[in-house]
Amino acid sequence: MSEPPTVYVTREIPGVGLDRLRDRYEVVVREETLPPGRSEIEAAVADHDAEGLLCLLTDEIDAGVLDASSDLAVVSTYSVGYDHVDLEAAHERGIAVGHTPGVLTETTADFAWALLMMCARRTVEAHDHVEADAWETWEPTLLRGADVHDATLGIVGLGDIGTATARRGAGFGMDILYTSRSRKPDREAELEAVGLDATYVDLDELLAASDFVSLHVPLTDETDGLIGAAEFERMRDDAVLVNTARGEVVDTEALDEALEADRIARAGLDVTDPEPLPADHRLLRHAPEKLVVTPHIGSSSVETRGRMAEMAAANLEAGIEGEPLPNSALRDAGLE
Ligand code: DGY
């Protein structure tokens, strides 16, 4: 009887995803909690003659890794983002690439709102205030924040998560501005159905008019450093910036300067550059008054992380069996 194909998994993932793979394949799971370097992945894929590689967004999957096993048929990333995978190289080699879109849309939009509310209503500072035993009485001006209701929400990138984030603005009576590579009539109709009139504007106009700017673009050459010094200059000085997309979309040094000079009021970041952000990073001197940072947990609900694992396993299985992937990153990136 022939050996079952080997699948290399760079870190333990939750839920039934791995059990499902174990029923059919030889599954090798790396046990460390910190990410492997690219050479470790390359060596492991080669040593195990892996046919499938299940990776995370912290793993760099380049041509060297893709060439490490001549049997490698599929790379399945446990993430919607695939900026860490060299898609062109995979496509050239006929290696399928899977990702997990859709399933984390609403959970990530919830989290963009968590950051927005934390920044607007200064909840981290407020909690610290109580914990520091500074709550002496009700005070007329204590921790005044910004109103969210009736404010203008600027969405940069009206894809699935951007639209889901905008949709939540309906409950707050917000005005929605959005910018995207092109106008999105379907998305506008989706938002109109919940009573939102979403207006397509260019980035400059959006930055100048929005109380809250929420970023929802994938990381590409075009969006790397999209929000830099010039963009902060255009923003309102009472504006809040929320980033649940990728850290590199915001120029960290420019953000640091913008917060220092009160060019914007606050920023809420779930993603950073560098990531992870070390505790002694300069940027953190603005926290918590002007800055809230969370450790890239936008999609981290029990249910969503479990469903992501199932999707990643399903993509992997399809790739090994030579079937079309339920969620192909190559297809979604326009490469197939
Ligand atoms: C992704 O999947 O790309 C998110 O950033 C984390 O869930």
Side-chain angles (χ1 to χ4, degrees):
M1 219 172 92
S2 62
E3 297 285 312
T6 300
V7 167
Y8 180 66
V9 183
T10 59
R11 271 182 291 160
E12 187 77 40
I13 57 171
V16 294
L18 291 184
D19 298 339
R20 171 177 169 159
L21 294 174
R22 282 190 182 105
D23 288 343
R24 306 182 68 171
Y25 309 119
E26 177 68 31
V27 177
V28 180
V29 182
R30 183 177 168 276
E31 285 178 1
E32 285 81 352
T33 45
L34 290 178
R38 61 153 308 287
S39 51
E40 187 184 338
I41 306 176
E42 184 177 328
V45 169
D47 288 351
H48 296 290
D49 294 322
E51 287 189 36
L53 169 62
L54 201 155
C55 67
L56 308 193
L57 57 83
T58 45
D59 304 327
E60 187 189 340
I61 310 299
D62 61 10
V65 172
L66 298 170
D67 286 334
S69 159
S70 56
D71 293 331
L72 191 66
V74 56
V75 173
S76 174
T77 182
Y78 177 73
S79 60
V80 62
Y82 41 70
D83 47 275
H84 53 295
V85 182
D86 187 338
L87 292 189
E88 299 274 355
H91 184 54
E92 276 163 27
R93 288 160 178 76
I95 297 175
V97 181
H99 70 140
T100 62
V103 64
L104 45 74
T105 299
E106 300 298 330
T107 305
T108 307
D110 287 348
F111 200 76
W113 269 84
L115 285 173
L116 187 156
M117 295 295 279
M118 282 195 265
C119 288
R121 299 304 306 273
R122 306 174 61 181
T123 57
V124 177
E125 281 170 88
H127 178 86
D128 289 355
H129 183 80
V130 176
E131 204 169 74
D133 206 16
W135 187 10
E136 288 174 329
T137 180
W138 187 90
E139 292 178 55
T141 57
L142 180 65
L143 289 162
R144 287 176 299 166
D147 277 330
V148 177
H149 66 271
D150 297 340
T152 298
L153 173 60
I155 300 283
V156 179
L158 198 67
D160 289 345
I161 301 175
T163 306
T165 302
R167 193 185 341 109
R168 284 156 173 72
F172 288 83
M174 293 177 109
D175 287 328
I176 307 292
L177 301 178
Y178 78 94
T179 186
S180 255
R181 264 183 306 201
S182 59
R183 199 172 156 193
K184 305 242 167 137
D186 292 357
R187 300 295 192 178
E188 288 178 20
E190 204 179 320
L191 294 173
E192 202 180 337
V194 295
L196 287 170
D197 188 13
T199 309
Y200 178 61
V201 291
D202 65 20
L203 181 62
D204 286 358
E205 197 178 331
L206 181 144
L207 294 172
S210 299
D211 296 280
F212 300 95
V213 174
S214 193
L215 305 178
H216 300 285
V217 287
L219 178 63
T220 61
D221 289 346
E222 238 183 332
T223 62
D224 198 338
L226 182 71
I227 307 296
E231 287 68 33
F232 285 116
E233 285 289 350
R234 287 186 191 105
M235 288 176 73
R236 294 167 39 164
D237 61 8
D238 58 354
V240 168
L241 176 73
V242 172
N243 190 6
T244 52
R246 283 292 182 267
E248 294 86 342
V249 175
V250 175
D251 177 335
T252 302
E253 212 177 299
L255 172 62
D256 183 27
E257 281 163 19
L259 291 173
E260 183 64 31
D262 293 321
R263 233 164 265 137
I264 65 168
R266 290 186 194 93
L269 311 176
D270 185 46
V271 289
T272 57
D273 178 24
E275 188 171 310
L277 194 70
D280 61 357
H281 194 281
R282 246 178 101 63
L283 193 64
L284 284 169
R285 74 188 190 287
H286 303 296
E289 292 82 3
K290 299 183 193 173
L291 178 72
V292 175
V293 184
T294 51
H296 203 152
I297 55 167
S299 66
S300 192
S301 72
V302 174
E303 187 169 339
T304 293
R305 287 283 166 95
R307 289 176 64 204
M308 285 167 68
E310 284 171 45
M311 284 174 82
N315 282 330
L316 205 114
E317 237 173 84
I320 292 183
E321 304 310 320
E323 291 162 7
L325 268 48
N327 289 285
S328 164
L330 297 177
R331 188 177 55 231
D332 293 343
L335 290 172
E336 62 175 28

